[in-house]
Amino acid sequence: MKKETKLSVVNLSQQEIPIVSEDTKTRHHWVPIGIMDIDDFFPVLTDAYTTSTTNAACVDGVADLIFGKGLFSNSPAFGEVLTKIISQEDIKRISFDMKLYGNAAVDVVWNDDHTKIKRMYHTPVQHWRAKKLTDTPFVNSYYYCTDWEDQRAQRVKVEVPAFGKSKEKRELLWIKNYTPGKFYYSLPDWISALQFSFVEAELSNLHINNIENGFLPLVMVNLNNGVPAPEERQTIEAMIEQKFTGTKNAGRFMVSFNDDPTVKPTIDTITTENLHEKYQYVGDYAQDRILVAHRITSPLLFGIRTAANGFSSQSEEMKTAFSILQTMTIMPFQNNIINALQDALEIGGWGETDLYFEQLTPLVILSTTAEETGQTIEQVEEDVNESMEDVDTNETNEITE
């Protein structure tokens, strides 16, 4: 009689490099933007932020530095009304959206005559989609929906004209960077590290599963007394899983009672050499690629300790690293936000506003400098900021010469 063998095989799907695409051929009036699906761009970026520790630290840290101590005006007349038009909390949220999503949306409210802007509010950019172009080379309006995956919610979406394209009381100002190959939306600067963010997330899942399984090795249990029916096989598998997996079951042993030793169950251990070293390498490499994508000059500035960067960095080295970060990473974000708001406010009847962000110096630099000089943090803050501004000026002069 021919013996029957049943094996359960898990098929591992191949992950492809994520490609962001704007679906301009959609049947809808708006333009979906997707990575793995038709319109999952914003949810995927959110997941990469919430599941990757390094990515979340970089996004939060850079967004805080973009906002700094807030947005202010060098114009005395306008400086008094700036916070009445747009709050600092709204500016902080706009800065965060620009870093995480590469796009930001500002809800602009005009007066009744449409001659002057009354208020500007942050609005979650992930809830907006651009309207497809028809007979004009620019976006005329945007659609708002709280859940673009819900067909019923889509039916009650709200259309709001783009800023400067109507005489409506409410318009939407869209802030974004230039991205080659993209017209309606832009990409975040860290998009190239998207996969590495999910690598970190999967590594955390791996460790959780190892803990729940009691750090048991991968084993194959062979029951040598015939092939049961499918329903019975599922019951046996469920009983073994319930009995031997989970953190509370670590260290348990198995007892088998057999009438015949020839049909006793056999347990084969499937081992992989140096598995912990491979996981460590993957984790370190993923973290390094995320830091590179975010253009982090010194991970220590964000409280991230790496193998190549401990807590022995000198204050001057850290100040230089922060100065480069401020010049090459933070200022481009700030300039993009300032230019968009200044242009809108000028069109909105406020004239020259002369906006600027007040810089925020990481506490690790201030505390290290204060410890070296024997001063307080408040005493060294102004000197440190001036010294780093001098570095920026000298670098600019060298490039100009």
Side-chain angles (χ1 to χ4, degrees):
M1 179 179 179
K2 185 177 178 181
K3 294 184 178 180
E4 184 180 3
T5 302
K6 293 291 184 179
L7 268 180
S8 299
V9 180
V10 178
N11 294 319
L12 301 178
S13 60
Q14 183 177 0
Q15 179 66 46
E16 298 181 353
I17 297 176
I19 303 296
V20 182
S21 59
E22 297 174 338
D23 187 7
T24 56
K25 297 181 180 180
T26 176
R27 60 183 177 84
H28 302 297
H29 297 299
W30 63 91
V31 179
I33 179 170
I35 300 178
M36 303 173 187
D37 205 346
I38 296 176
D39 195 13
D40 65 350
F41 174 75
F42 292 104
V44 167
L45 295 184
T46 303
D47 289 342
Y49 166 75
T50 55
T51 59
S52 169
T53 53
T54 304
N55 192 37
C58 292
V59 171
D60 290 338
V62 173
D64 287 341
L65 291 176
I66 294 171
F67 175 71
K69 295 181 179 180
L71 184 69
F72 302 94
S73 173
N74 284 318
S75 172
F78 183 75
E80 296 178 357
V81 298
L82 174 60
T83 55
K84 297 179 181 180
I85 297 176
I86 185 168
S87 68
Q88 296 292 358
E89 181 61 29
D90 285 325
I91 295 295
K92 187 174 184 178
R93 294 179 181 181
I94 291 170
S95 302
F96 181 83
D97 281 356
M98 283 298 298
K99 176 57 185 173
L100 177 58
Y101 299 117
N103 302 265
V106 181
D107 200 350
V108 180
V109 179
W110 292 81
N111 60 7
D112 295 335
D113 298 332
H114 201 87
T115 56
K116 207 161 194 175
I117 292 176
K118 291 177 58 179
R119 287 299 305 268
M120 303 175 81
Y121 301 95
H122 162 269
T123 177
V125 71
Q126 63 269 28
H127 295 329
W128 294 90
R129 297 294 183 272
K131 185 178 181 179
K132 282 197 300 185
L133 297 184
T134 52
D135 55 350
T136 58
F138 47 79
V139 178
N140 280 311
S141 60
Y142 295 87
Y143 292 103
Y144 178 86
C145 179
T146 54
D147 186 1
W148 286 99
E149 296 181 357
D150 188 348
Q151 297 291 333
R152 290 174 297 180
Q154 289 182 13
R155 289 197 290 266
V156 294
K157 63 185 180 299
V158 178
E159 183 176 0
V160 177
F163 181 79
K165 306 304 182 204
S166 75
K167 292 296 182 180
E168 299 291 330
K169 188 173 182 178
R170 180 189 180 195
E171 293 181 331
L172 187 75
L173 173 65
W174 194 274
I175 306 176
K176 65 185 183 74
N177 287 311
Y178 167 73
T179 301
K182 301 292 177 291
F183 178 82
Y184 296 92
Y185 312 95
S186 63
L187 306 182
D189 61 340
W190 58 273
I191 189 66
S192 58
L194 182 63
Q195 281 188 309
F196 294 106
S197 300
F198 288 121
V199 166
E200 279 200 345
E202 291 302 326
L203 285 176
S204 67
N205 289 334
L206 170 72
H207 295 315
I208 290 175
N209 290 329
N210 280 336
I211 293 173
E212 291 182 345
N213 293 327
F215 292 100
L216 292 176
L218 182 63
V219 298
M220 177 178 288
V221 179
N222 298 293
L223 303 178
N224 304 311
N225 54 352
V227 180
E231 295 80 5
E232 187 177 354
R233 288 205 305 268
Q234 292 179 0
T235 302
I236 295 173
E237 290 174 0
M239 291 175 61
I240 294 177
E241 180 180 3
Q242 181 180 6
K243 189 175 183 63
F244 296 103
T245 61
T247 54
K248 295 182 180 180
N249 294 326
R252 283 193 175 188
F253 57 89
M254 178 186 294
V255 178
S256 175
F257 302 94
N258 309 283
D259 293 329
D260 186 350
T262 60
V263 295
K264 67 179 181 180
T266 59
I267 301 177
D268 299 321
T269 303
I270 304 174
T271 59
T272 305
E273 296 294 332
N274 302 323
L275 192 59
H276 67 287
E277 296 180 1
K278 295 178 181 178
Y279 289 148
Q280 182 67 40
Y281 171 77
V282 172
D284 292 343
Y285 184 74
Q287 183 184 67
D288 179 72
R289 295 298 90 188
I290 294 172
L291 293 172
V292 170
H294 284 280
R295 294 175 292 173
I296 303 301
T297 52
S298 175
L300 186 58
L301 295 171
F302 299 97
I304 301 173
R305 183 176 183 178
T306 63
N309 192 343
F311 285 100
S312 60
S313 300
Q314 299 298 317
S315 60
E316 289 301 323
E317 296 177 359
M318 294 181 62
K319 281 191 276 188
T320 302
F322 176 67
S323 177
I324 297 173
L325 177 70
Q326 185 75 20
T327 304
M328 305 301 295
T329 304
I330 306 302
M331 289 181 63
F333 278 103
Q334 293 176 336
N335 291 336
N336 195 14
I337 296 173
I338 288 174
N339 291 337
L341 293 180
Q342 283 189 158
D343 290 345
L345 289 169
E346 184 175 354
I347 296 173
W350 289 102
E352 185 66 30
T353 56
D354 199 8
L355 302 177
Y356 71 94
F357 280 97
E358 186 171 340
Q359 177 176 291
L360 175 67
T361 304
L363 183 60
V364 64
I365 296 179
L366 298 178
S367 59
T368 304
T369 305
E371 183 178 352
E372 293 176 351
T373 59
Q375 297 175 292
T376 64
I377 292 178
E378 291 76 13
Q379 289 173 331
V380 302
E381 183 173 8
E382 185 176 352
D383 294 336
V384 170
N385 289 339
E386 289 180 356
S387 65
M388 287 188 292
E389 288 175 0
D390 292 339
V391 173
D392 294 342
T393 304
N394 293 335
E395 289 176 352
T396 303
N397 291 336
E398 290 176 2
I399 294 174
T400 303
E401 294 174 358

